[in-house]
Amino acid sequence: MKMRAVITVIGKDAVGILASVSSKCAEHNINVLEVTQSILQDLFAMIMLVDIEKSTIEFTRFADELTALAKTKNLSIHTMHEDIFNTMHTI
Amino acid sequence: MISAKNILETITMIREENLDVRTVTMGISLFDCCSEDIDTLCGKIYDKITKSAENLVPVANQIEKEYGIPIINKRIAVTPISLILAPCSNRDAVKIALTLEKAAKECAVNFLGGFSALVHKGFSSGDRELIEAIPDALSVTSRICSSVNIGSTKAGINMDAVRIMGEIVHKTAKKTEKDNCIGAAKLVVFCNAPEDNPFMAGAFHGIGEPDKVVNVGVSGPGVVRSALAKVPKDMDLSSVAQLIKNTAFKITRVGQLVATEASKRLGVPFGIVDLSLAPTPAVGDSVARILEEMGLEVCGTHGTTAALALLNDAVKKGGVMASSHVGGLSGAFIPVSEDEGMINAVKKGALSIEKLEAMTAVCSVGLDMIVIPGGTAPETISAIIADEAAIGMVNSKTTAVRVIPAIGKKTGDMLEFGGLLGSGPVMPVSNLSSEIFVKRGGRIPAPLQSLKN
């Protein structure tokens, strides 16, 4: 089974958000597969699907790092295993 | 890729609408701990629990982080202690309660349930000792929960046990008076108690269960309420029911995912998902507010029972397909102190114990987390228990009573528990006596619908 995660970044749009998150991914050999942007209640929402199969960091620690990054940039970042969305929205 | 809309829906449910998994509860059988000597028994109980559940909290925390879904409580349920106490020659139920507390602390779980007795038809060896020890046990422990099953559709209602439990509830509140009578908030009296319920205070590990099992209780009143808030006020009730079913399906799928993962990682069989809407004191995470969203000015007004019946049924129908095994209580909970909307309704004078009693005929549990005046006679508490048990017995459903006599307080005062237990306004009960009825004792015979064979 493929190990994939969804990173959702929510906050005010600003320069360099995509760059900062994707460079974190690169740092740990996490491949970005898809990026989409959307709007959530007037906020900017960026959704990234990433491949964590070859990741060099434990997934929960990666999530912690992104949470820390979110704090410094005044954003909200949710890093969640893809399965929760598949389970919830498909039969 | 999953659509952005679906991803953002999930994120909104978690961020704004308090979607969470309320509890991952590990059931542990203590039958193999039985011993004639109390100290040997306590040693075996401690070892069995701490060994079985050593990874429960770390695994739940890991799942919480990987899937981004909060898991609020991690709990343990054990075999009803009265059964484990029975073979002991120097019985001391409080000593067992202290052992359970120590084990719960060691495993870092929030609660441990199963300081329980099943006496729906009568008392067997060990039952009375356990019941008599409840007030002491709950006053010297903080994580232990207790339950007593006093009736069932098959057996009728054991009115001797009902009489005793009125006194025990009162004594427990009195013993924990300095701590806002919190002991009584951890004691529940059941009719038709389920053996696989992951929710406290009534969780215990039933006698037909495997050696160890993982049960999961979902939550999500806030999600249902906000789904209803987004649709027009003239949407007909068939469509409302459909909307609730769809929402309950999604909530339950999360529970099923957590249950499957927890079972796999702990190497313990998966038992059931309990599809309950369990409110919290957080604003918006309220079952009462769902009923109000359906179009009632305040929860408790006429129409409340019908709205709750629709909600309870739709939650089950939506949830049942989302999980491979459903069990426990499964339905909408209506605890007063744990539900911001219920507290508001009581304060406004819209919600009475009598109305709550009617509501319990159509939802999953019973009179739950209701604060009553400290001066309420124990016989009146027994009579409240008997009424509730009668509803459960006749309707072949679980009912329960968890009332907290607020020692030294009167109607209208507030009792603060804090945390998930919330705070409750003292609600009036009838001053007219039920004493002679309660003191008759004996058994209320099982109803005709028990004869199904």
Side-chain angles (χ1 to χ4, degrees), chain A residues 6 8 10 34 36 38-41 43 45 47-49 58-60 64 76 78-91, chain B residues 1-16 19 61-62 65-69 249-251 253-254 256-257 261 321:
Chain A
V6 175
T8 315
I10 299 165
E34 274 184 61
T36 44
S38 189
I39 297 293
L40 180 72
Q41 290 152 358
L43 291 171
I47 302 163
M48 295 169 93
L49 180 69
E58 203 183 313
F59 182 59
T60 53
D64 283 341
S76 157
H78 297 260
T79 315
M80 296 150 79
H81 197 289
E82 178 193 40
D83 279 356
I84 188 160
F85 303 103
N86 289 332
T87 309
M88 215 167 172
H89 298 285
T90 55
I91 292 178
Chain B
M1 183 174 167
I2 321 129
S3 81
K5 183 175 158 277
N6 288 345
I7 289 173
L8 293 178
E9 183 186 349
T10 303
I11 300 274
T12 307
M13 283 180 181
I14 295 169
R15 259 168 64 99
E16 327 249 331
L19 173 66
N61 288 343
Q62 193 187 25
K65 228 171 196 179
E66 276 179 31
Y67 293 97
I69 178 85
F249 176 84
K250 291 175 187 171
I251 296 171
R253 289 284 276 197
V254 175
Q256 175 74 28
L257 174 69
E261 277 302 314
M321 191 177 150

Side-chain angles (χ1 to χ4, degrees), chain B residues 28-42:
Chain B
I28 302 170
S29 168
L30 297 182
F31 279 125
D32 51 1
C33 299
C34 285
S35 168
E36 276 210 350
D37 174 58
I38 186 76
D39 292 319
T40 314
L41 171 63
C42 287

Side-chain angles (χ1 to χ4, degrees), chain B residues 287-292 296 298-312 331-336 339 341-342 345-346 350-368 370 388 391 395 397-400 427:
Chain B
V287 169
R289 297 294 188 198
I290 298 175
L291 306 178
E292 290 170 2
L296 302 168
V298 181
C299 175
T301 186
H302 302 291
T304 301
T305 311
L308 181 60
L310 182 154
L311 172 67
N312 197 53
F333 290 176
I334 52 166
V336 175
D339 186 311
M342 293 284 176
V346 173
L351 187 60
S352 64
I353 288 192
E354 291 76 10
K355 185 65 182 178
L356 282 160
E357 186 183 313
M359 290 160 73
T360 66
V362 300
C363 76
S364 77
V365 208
L367 293 175
D368 197 15
I370 295 173
E388 207 41 44
I391 291 174
N395 293 300
K397 71 183 287 290
T398 303
T399 48
M427 297 176 71

Side-chain angles (χ1 to χ4, degrees), chain B residues 423-439:
Chain B
S423 65
V426 181
M427 297 176 71
V429 298
S430 173
N431 289 323
L432 303 172
S433 172
S434 319
E435 191 177 341
I436 295 173
F437 176 72
V438 166
K439 285 195 169 160

Side-chain angles (χ1 to χ4, degrees), chain B residues 62-93:
Chain B
Q62 193 187 25
I63 293 172
E64 178 171 31
K65 228 171 196 179
E66 276 179 31
Y67 293 97
I69 178 85
I71 300 174
I72 307 299
N73 271 200
K74 295 91 190 174
R75 301 169 175 170
I76 293 171
V78 296
T79 311
I81 292 298
S82 72
L83 302 173
I84 306 305
L85 190 63
C88 204
S89 54
N90 49 348
R91 291 173 189 164
D92 183 348

Side-chain angles (χ1 to χ4, degrees), chain A residues 11-38:
Chain A
K12 279 204 173 126
D13 200 2
V15 175
I17 292 180
L18 176 61
S20 60
V21 178
S22 49
S23 64
K24 267 273 171 239
C25 292
E27 207 177 293
H28 301 299
N29 201 32
I30 290 169
N31 188 24
V32 178
L33 302 170
E34 274 184 61
V35 181
T36 44
Q37 293 189 11
S38 189

